[in-house]
Amino acid sequence: VLGYALIPALIGAANIRTIAWIFLPLALTMMIPMFMIKEDSTLPADVEKRRTEAQAKGETLEEEETVAIIPSIKYTLKNKPFVLWMLVYCLLEFGLQMYLAGQNVYYSGVLKLSGLQITMLMALTFAPVPFTLLLYNRIVKRRGIRTGYAYSLIVFIIAMLMMAISGTGVFGEGALKMVIVAIASVVSSFGIGCFFSINYTIPATLAAIEKEQTGISHPAMYFAIQGLASGVATAISTGLVWVNLKRIGDGSKVYLMPFIIALAVFLSLVMSKTMPKEIDRIGKETK
């Protein structure tokens, strides 16, 4: 959040290397999950110690079946809910990455906004994310993750259409256009919070369900394949479609960006309806 919102504001005031050093300590926050892990150690000596302690109590230590890389890939690709999720997620990534890559160009080129205005829009897009996640989590707890995901996609589509309409000039070039775009930025944050978290939630849960059903645990492969698939979607989005969109007519087609994003996200919404019922119980509180 700090990176997306503040870096554009600092670029004109300091050298990019200085800005990088300023934000570098924030990378240490990525270490937080290491201190939250509850699983037992998998070191052979620790496993043997737990086994000995269990035998002394007349208990049997439950052990997970280890999986080699090739069988792990096969297990993952045979998981129908996960394959469907890859289709849904790749469409989302296509739209989201184009939005992240093209924001500045769209704001400055199509909307003709200044650097300070763009910085404000960036802040309005990303700063509210921690708070919009509270609403998203509330929806998921009540209705399940499919409903929460659909809600996030719908509000993001609305934000993109507001951006697109603003680019047509219908709101003029004054304060009204800036207000509409600012509202669209805040609305988009209600979707972005979900997009930045759901890529962890779905694979982890599907891996946990597989472990319950088969006793096989290999969640890392789910994240590896998802990362590969999303990387391909991102490459197509930003390295093929977006790059050529900027080149056509010397950038005259950049105004199409929010329409393309809205279409990709809408297709993700449609595809999410095909996912199996197991998805509905993810995150939902049972009474």
Side-chain angles (χ1 to χ4, degrees):
V1 171
L2 287 172
Y4 278 114
L6 296 182
I7 287 177
L10 295 175
I11 284 179
N15 182 279
I16 189 64
R17 288 191 179 89
T18 303
I19 296 171
W21 282 111
I22 291 171
F23 282 88
L24 180 60
L26 291 176
L28 295 175
T29 62
M30 299 296 289
M31 302 288 289
I32 291 173
M34 292 184 62
F35 299 96
M36 300 174 67
I37 294 174
K38 305 298 182 182
E39 288 81 1
D40 294 322
S41 168
T42 56
L43 291 174
D46 294 331
V47 173
E48 185 60 34
K49 180 180 178 182
R50 289 199 304 275
R51 184 183 292 111
T52 302
E53 291 174 350
Q55 289 175 349
K57 296 177 182 178
E59 300 174 354
T60 302
L61 182 65
E62 181 181 348
E63 298 184 28
E64 297 177 354
E65 182 179 340
T66 57
V67 185
I69 185 170
I70 299 302
S72 179
I73 293 173
K74 291 180 179 179
Y75 281 129
T76 306
L77 295 180
K78 286 180 180 179
N79 189 318
K80 185 179 178 181
F82 180 73
V83 173
L84 287 173
W85 166 243
M86 283 296 88
L87 297 174
V88 173
Y89 184 65
C90 284
L91 287 167
L92 169 63
E93 278 293 287
F94 180 95
L96 176 61
Q97 294 303 325
M98 183 177 291
Y99 176 64
L100 297 177
Q103 269 183 307
N104 279 329
V105 175
Y106 187 81
Y107 290 151
S108 60
V110 177
L111 299 181
K112 296 179 173 57
L113 300 177
S114 67
L116 183 60
Q117 290 172 318
I118 294 173
T119 298
M120 187 183 76
L121 293 177
M122 291 284 193
L124 290 174
T125 300
F126 297 103
V129 165
F131 305 102
T132 59
L133 269 173
L134 295 175
L135 177 58
Y136 164 72
N137 288 331
R138 188 180 182 88
I139 294 172
V140 171
K141 286 180 180 179
R142 288 188 175 184
R143 303 289 183 178
I145 203 165
R146 191 199 303 266
T147 301
Y149 185 62
Y151 143 80
S152 300
L153 293 176
I154 290 170
V155 296
F156 194 70
I157 290 171
I158 292 172
M160 291 301 99
L161 294 179
M162 290 174 69
M163 292 279 190
I165 295 171
S166 299
T168 63
V170 69
F171 299 119
E173 298 299 327
L176 178 60
K177 181 182 73 173
M178 186 62 190
V179 169
I180 298 298
V181 176
I183 293 173
S185 296
V186 173
V187 171
S188 71
S189 72
F190 283 83
I192 288 174
C194 160
F195 304 157
F196 284 169
S197 62
I198 199 168
N199 58 332
Y200 302 103
T201 307
I202 298 288
T205 306
L206 292 176
I209 292 173
E210 182 183 47
K211 179 184 174 183
E212 289 177 5
Q213 296 174 343
T214 66
I216 298 171
S217 178
H218 58 125
M221 186 57 68
Y222 282 81
F223 289 104
I225 292 179
Q226 178 179 264
L228 176 62
S230 65
V232 172
T234 298
I236 294 172
S237 173
T238 61
L240 183 62
V241 178
W242 173 237
V243 168
N244 284 287
L245 195 65
K246 290 190 293 182
R247 289 175 178 172
I248 297 173
D250 294 326
S252 62
K253 302 300 182 182
V254 169
Y255 77 92
L256 293 173
M257 185 192 80
F259 292 106
I260 295 173
I261 294 171
L263 176 61
V265 174
F266 175 74
L267 292 175
S268 180
L269 174 62
V270 172
M271 286 297 300
S272 69
K273 302 298 181 183
T274 67
M275 296 189 69
K277 292 182 178 180
E278 297 100 308
I279 298 297
D280 293 328
R281 70 185 179 101
I282 298 177
K284 189 175 182 180
E285 289 184 341
T286 55
K287 296 182 180 180

